[in-house]
Amino acid sequence: MRNLARAVAVVLGLSSTLAGATKIPLGTEGQALTVNFQLQTWAGLTQDANPAGDGLGYDFRLRRVRAVISAEPTDKWAFLLQLDAANFGTGQDYSPRFLPQDAWVSYSPTGRSAKNVFMVDAGFLLVPLSRQALSSTTSFTTIDVHLDAVRGFREGPGIRDLGVQVRGWALDKKIGYRGGIYRGVTGTQGDLSAANPRAGLNPSSHPRLGGFVNFNILGTEEGNWLYQGIYFQEKPVVSVGVGGGYQSKAVRGPSGLTDTRVFSGDFFADLPTGAEGEGVVHATAYRNDFGGGSANTGWGYFVDAGYRFGFVMPYASYEGFNADSCPDGLVAPACTADTQNSSIIKAGLHFYINKNANHIDVEYANARSLKPSDADRVNSVLVQWNTVF
């Protein structure tokens, strides 16, 4: 623990010179392991969040502490291992718990340098529900990912799951795609109880399905594992995408066991206006279906927009979720519609020390998150320092 504290202190004292990655040579000439580290330090204030519920609540944590090891031994083979201690220090919990956030091997029979690339990935993977689910945590328009808009499909940490998928791009990187089968929800035997909440789920052990296709109208975003929220380049990027996931009888709703379905539609634009100006817009709509009368069945959505002036980017965001009405013949308390709705307004500033590798962010939010529609709104302020080295 003492060593970790020293490491944190060193990182916070460093500047934009940390933007590179460490290369460890392998036995074969020209081959190397790439090692990166990511640290996101958070400090927040939230209205009425103290233990008494009548004053400011203070939040200090390491939102992400990550070590990433990757390599491409040949043009056909690649692998990546990412370890993460998410939300380290929350509630004074300093127990060591570095867990795999990504762990996969990839094989491309065509080679990744070809114009049209086809790959097979296997391991612990991001479930491709939408563009946001496949975006880098270093470059969101807001400080963190929009989680209220998409419901379910979070059984693994960080919208990840064990599985096998195909991935690649075509038409000179104008189309990117990935999709496959994943473990998903696994049921248990016995009677339903607080100690056995998965009893009877997925009785036939069907896997989860997921997929995402991205269409680049201007420029291209394909060729890397993750998409970016801002590119710091002179060429414009405009893309639209569709995605979703499905699993049979994976949730227990008000009417019994039901399938889980999530569908998404994305729009993204990064429009440079010279070397010192750049506008970004990212919007996603989700259709979440977890059975009639469920609090999580309905429409989720978010819109992010920002404009970079040199090293400063102001931005604004709106995220929401509206549940469907109770179906005929189903009333509360069996029907839980409108009990987990969301409405979140955000505004903030990014200060880019070295693009996405090193930036400080300040964000104000006014939110009604995962609460009944008539719940009071809460104000908060969050400061983040993101560093990758």
Side-chain angles (χ1 to χ4, degrees):
M1 186 53 57
R2 185 175 299 173
N3 290 336
L4 178 60
R6 290 174 179 170
V8 171
V10 170
V11 169
L12 290 179
L14 293 176
S15 67
S16 60
T17 58
L18 294 173
T22 301
K23 299 284 187 179
I24 302 176
L26 299 176
T28 304
E29 184 177 354
Q31 296 181 11
L33 289 175
T34 300
V35 181
N36 286 97
F37 297 93
Q38 179 187 7
L39 181 67
Q40 288 185 336
T41 306
W42 277 17
L45 294 174
T46 303
Q47 171 189 348
D48 298 333
N50 64 346
D54 58 1
L56 290 176
Y58 298 86
D59 178 22
F60 297 94
R61 74 176 80 172
L62 299 183
R63 174 64 180 92
R64 294 177 176 91
V65 185
R66 290 180 168 179
V68 185
I69 303 170
S70 61
E72 298 178 356
T74 72
D75 188 48
K76 294 186 176 182
W77 288 96
F79 71 85
L80 182 143
L81 171 64
Q82 177 172 261
L83 301 177
D84 186 20
N87 297 311
F88 183 81
T90 302
Q92 295 185 315
D93 181 4
Y94 301 108
S95 57
R97 57 182 186 279
F98 276 91
L99 301 173
Q101 278 280 57
D102 297 279
W104 49 261
V105 61
S106 179
Y107 173 70
S108 172
T110 62
R112 289 182 306 280
S113 58
K115 276 192 172 182
N116 298 318
V117 174
F118 174 83
M119 292 172 279
V120 178
D121 306 326
F124 196 50
L125 304 162
L126 285 162
V127 180
L129 297 178
S130 65
R131 185 186 186 279
Q132 182 197 224
L134 302 171
S135 295
S136 171
T137 59
T138 68
S139 67
F140 293 138
T141 303
T142 53
I143 284 183
D144 209 4
V145 65
H146 294 288
L147 285 178
D148 280 13
V150 58
R151 304 299 173 95
F153 289 89
R154 300 191 205 163
E155 289 72 24
I159 317 182
R160 291 165 170 85
D161 203 352
L162 293 167
V164 178
Q165 67 181 19
V166 297
R167 173 170 60 100
W169 47 86
L171 299 181
D172 197 21
K173 295 186 177 181
K174 288 296 183 182
I175 296 179
Y177 60 88
R178 70 181 77 185
I181 58 174
Y182 310 87
R183 183 179 65 178
V185 172
T186 55
T188 56
Q189 297 180 349
D191 297 328
L192 178 66
S193 67
N196 191 19
R198 294 181 182 268
L201 295 181
N202 192 9
S204 299
S205 293
H206 290 154
R208 169 189 294 167
L209 305 177
F212 177 74
V213 179
N214 195 48
F215 303 89
N216 291 273
I217 300 170
L218 293 177
T220 182
E221 302 183 88
E222 309 309 326
N224 295 308
W225 174 243
L226 298 173
Y227 296 106
Q228 301 296 316
I230 183 170
Y231 282 97
F232 297 94
Q233 63 184 20
E234 296 183 2
K235 295 182 179 180
V237 171
V238 177
S239 65
V240 293
V242 292
Y246 169 83
Q247 190 173 14
S248 173
K249 298 182 179 179
V251 69
R252 182 173 284 103
S255 300
L257 287 182
T258 186
D259 300 344
T260 58
R261 301 178 182 88
V262 174
F263 303 101
S264 70
D266 280 281
F267 172 81
F268 175 79
D270 185 323
L271 303 174
T273 57
E276 297 301 315
E278 187 173 7
V280 293
V281 176
H282 187 191
T284 300
Y286 293 97
R287 175 58 188 173
N288 303 273
D289 187 349
F290 300 91
S294 169
N296 293 318
T297 293
W299 289 93
Y301 44 87
F302 71 84
V303 179
D304 299 336
Y307 188 85
R308 179 176 64 86
F309 301 88
F311 72 96
V312 180
M313 187 175 86
Y315 64 87
S317 170
Y318 181 75
E319 178 183 7
F321 177 85
N322 296 321
D324 291 354
S325 300
C326 294
D328 293 341
L330 191 65
V331 297
C335 176
T336 57
D338 294 328
T339 62
Q340 296 288 300
N341 287 354
S342 292
S343 172
I344 305 171
I345 301 168
K346 295 180 179 179
L349 292 169
H350 293 296
F351 298 93
Y352 294 108
I353 301 170
N354 187 16
K355 300 181 179 178
N356 288 326
N358 196 348
H359 51 88
I360 296 173
D361 318 306
V362 181
E363 182 175 276
Y364 163 77
N366 176 268
R368 189 191 71 241
S369 178
L370 299 175
K371 293 180 178 179
S373 300
D374 58 354
D376 292 337
R377 304 186 68 88
V378 175
N379 298 294
S380 63
V381 175
L382 178 62
V383 180
Q384 171 184 264
W385 188 344
N386 174 89
T387 309
V388 178
F389 58 98

